[in-house]
Amino acid sequence: HISASSHSKMPLIQRVDPSLLNLENFVSYTDSDAKDFHEQRKVAIMKKYGPKIRKLYGHCWTTKYYVAFVALTQLWISTWVVNQKWWVFLLVAWIFGGTLTHILTLAIHEVTHFLAFKKPLYNWALAYLADLPIPAATCVSFKLYHRDHHNMMGVEDVDTDIATFNEAQLMKGRFQKLIFVLFNSLIYSLRPVFTMPKPLTKELAVNWIVQLAFNAVWIHLFGWKTMLYFGVSLFLGLGLNPLAGHFISEHFVSHPSQDTYSYYGPLNYIAFNVGYHTEHHDFPNIPGSRLPELKRIAPEFYDNRFYYDSWSGVVWNYIMTDGFGLFNRKKVPSNHCTLKMRSVCHSSGVKSKKEE
C-alpha cells in the first residue's frame, strides 16, 4: 500500500468487515442505506456548493489527445511485436499491450459519457478509435449496459455488473477466484449477453461493421498475429493487471455502510481518475480530470468514506481473503422495492409494490 497521509481523515480499507464474510447470498439494501445513495449525496452537495460544482461540468480537452496516443501506440506495437520471439511477444502483450488495452477500455468509459467533446458525434468517433485495438466491437454495447449500471445500480436482473447467483456460488474458493480474475474479460463481456441481451440496433450493427472491416484490413496489411496480440493484450490487461483492481474495488462490499468505494492511488493518473468512483457516480457528467477537484470542494461528503490506495492489493485481498467473493455486492430485487427505498427504485425506473 502507498502512504495514505494525504487522506489521514479517511478510513483506509485494510480488511473486509467480518460480518461480510462467507455470505450465502448477495447483500441486501436496507432502509438505512438511503442516506448513502448517490442521488441523495449529489442533491446535498449541489445545495451547498452548486455554483462551484457546475463549473466542473463539461468535456476535458486533453482527453482526445491521450486516447489517440494510446490507441495509435497499441496499433504500432502490434505491427512490431509480431516479428519478435514468442517470449518477447507475451511479455510485451502483458506489460505494455495489456496496460494500453485496459486504458482504452477506460477511455471508452470516459468518452461514452460524452466527456471528450461537446458534440456526441465526435465522442463516438473517438470511442470507435479506442475500440479498434481491442479488437471486438464494444463501445456501443458498453454504453447501453453502463447506462443501466448508473441508472439502475444494484437492481437485480438489470445491473449486469453484478454476477449471477450461480457465478457467485461457483467462484468461492481461492483457485476459483483466481480463475475469475484471469478470465474477467470474457465473463464481464459475456454475462450481459446471456442475462440481459439487448436488441440488435443500427448503432450496434455499425459498430461491428466498422470493427470487422478494420480487423480485415489490419490482417491483410500486417498478418493475423496482430489480432492474436490484440486478443492476448485484452485477456491479460483485464485479468492479472494492476488496473483490473478497479473491477473489484468499485462496488464489492467490504463494509456494510457502503456500496461504492473510491481508490486514491497513483494509477489514477493513467486511468482517467476512474478510481474516484464514488465521485463519478455522484456526478457522471464531470470528466475524470476534474473529479479530484470535486472531492476538494466537498471534502465533508467524501473524507469519511472507506477507500482503497492499491489496486494490486485489492486483487490480492480478493483472492486470498477466504469468504470474500462475488456475493459481496449489494442488490435489490427488481420487483421488491420498499417505499423507503424510493430513491434507488426511482433512479432505476422500478416501481415499488405500493406504487404498482
Side-chain angles (χ1 to χ4, degrees):
H1 289 264
I2 64 170
S3 170
S5 59
S6 60
H7 306 282
S8 57
K9 295 181 181 179
M10 304 175 64
L12 171 66
I13 293 177
Q14 295 177 318
R15 60 183 61 86
V16 181
D17 188 285
S19 67
L20 293 169
L21 297 177
N22 300 307
L23 301 175
E24 293 300 326
N25 209 329
F26 296 97
V27 182
S28 297
Y29 280 99
T30 64
D31 293 339
S32 62
D33 288 327
K35 64 180 181 299
D36 193 50
F37 291 151
H38 294 285
E39 188 62 29
Q40 269 80 344
R41 187 165 41 251
K42 177 180 180 179
V43 170
I45 291 174
M46 291 301 294
K47 184 177 181 180
K48 189 172 184 179
Y49 299 110
K52 292 182 178 180
I53 300 300
R54 290 188 185 92
K55 291 181 180 179
L56 303 179
Y57 291 174
H59 69 285
C60 176
W61 69 273
T62 62
T63 298
K64 56 183 175 290
Y65 300 112
Y66 180 45
V67 175
F69 171 78
V70 173
L72 294 175
T73 299
Q74 178 70 336
L75 291 174
W76 174 79
I77 292 177
S78 74
T79 67
W80 170 82
V81 77
V82 294
N83 298 315
Q84 308 305 312
K85 295 180 179 180
W86 68 268
W87 65 268
V88 175
F89 180 97
L90 290 177
L91 192 64
V92 170
W94 182 38
I95 297 176
F96 296 102
T99 301
L100 293 174
T101 299
H102 202 119
I103 291 173
L104 290 174
T105 65
L106 297 175
I108 289 173
H109 169 264
E110 183 82 357
V111 174
T112 54
H113 273 287
F114 298 161
L115 298 173
F117 294 96
K118 291 182 179 179
K119 295 184 178 181
L121 178 63
Y122 295 167
N123 284 282
W124 279 120
L126 189 61
Y128 272 52
L129 174 61
D131 226 349
L132 296 182
I134 285 185
T138 65
C139 63
V140 173
S141 58
F142 174 83
K143 172 71 173 180
L144 295 174
Y145 286 109
H146 192 65
R147 181 174 56 195
D148 290 343
H149 171 62
H150 271 271
N151 294 335
M152 310 181 184
M153 193 177 81
V155 177
E156 188 176 35
D157 300 327
V158 180
D159 184 0
T160 58
D161 190 63
I162 300 176
T164 64
F165 183 87
N166 289 335
E167 281 181 75
Q169 281 280 40
L170 183 63
M171 301 291 184
K172 283 187 173 182
R174 292 183 180 181
F175 177 74
Q176 293 96 315
K177 289 191 286 184
L178 174 61
I179 294 299
F180 174 80
V181 171
L182 281 171
F183 289 89
N184 184 57
S185 57
L186 292 175
I187 296 171
Y188 193 81
S189 301
L190 295 177
R191 182 191 299 139
V193 176
F194 290 102
T195 61
M196 193 182 174
K198 298 286 188 182
L200 180 63
T201 63
K202 180 179 69 175
E203 291 78 12
L204 277 170
V206 170
N207 193 189
W208 274 105
I209 290 170
V210 171
Q211 186 65 53
L212 293 176
F214 168 79
N215 291 353
V217 170
W218 211 249
I219 291 172
H220 177 74
L221 292 175
F222 304 107
W224 65 269
K225 284 187 178 180
T226 55
M227 291 298 121
L228 178 62
Y229 168 73
F230 291 146
V232 173
S233 296
L234 178 65
F235 177 76
L236 296 176
L238 271 65
L240 280 180
N241 184 292
L243 288 173
H246 79 87
F247 289 119
I248 299 169
S249 69
E250 291 170 354
H251 299 293
F252 275 62
V253 182
S254 55
H255 285 267
S257 61
Q258 289 182 213
D259 61 356
T260 305
Y261 303 78
S262 288
Y263 154 84
Y264 300 119
L267 292 179
N268 275 316
Y269 289 112
I270 63 172
F272 302 93
N273 281 325
V274 73
Y276 286 76
H277 210 66
T278 301
E279 293 86 345
H280 168 65
H281 269 272
D282 291 349
F283 294 92
N285 54 344
I286 293 179
S289 61
R290 298 177 198 147
L291 291 176
E293 179 64 11
L294 164 63
K295 180 179 173 297
R296 189 196 67 79
I297 292 172
E300 68 273 27
F301 291 93
Y302 299 110
D303 280 359
N304 61 344
R305 298 179 60 81
F306 290 97
Y307 76 103
Y308 294 98
D309 68 350
S310 171
W311 273 335
S312 298
V314 167
V315 175
W316 175 263
N317 288 332
Y318 168 72
I319 295 172
M320 300 304 293
T321 301
D322 294 331
F324 183 50
L326 297 179
F327 278 134
N328 287 78
R329 292 292 301 267
K330 287 198 173 186
K331 180 184 284 191
V332 56
S334 58
N335 63 346
H336 196 264
C337 291
T338 66
L339 190 61
K340 289 185 179 180
M341 293 172 60
R342 298 176 76 116
S343 53
V344 72
C345 297
H346 285 180
S347 67
S348 313
V350 177
K351 294 182 179 180
S352 68
K353 287 187 173 181
K354 294 187 178 182
E355 293 175 296
E356 292 176 343

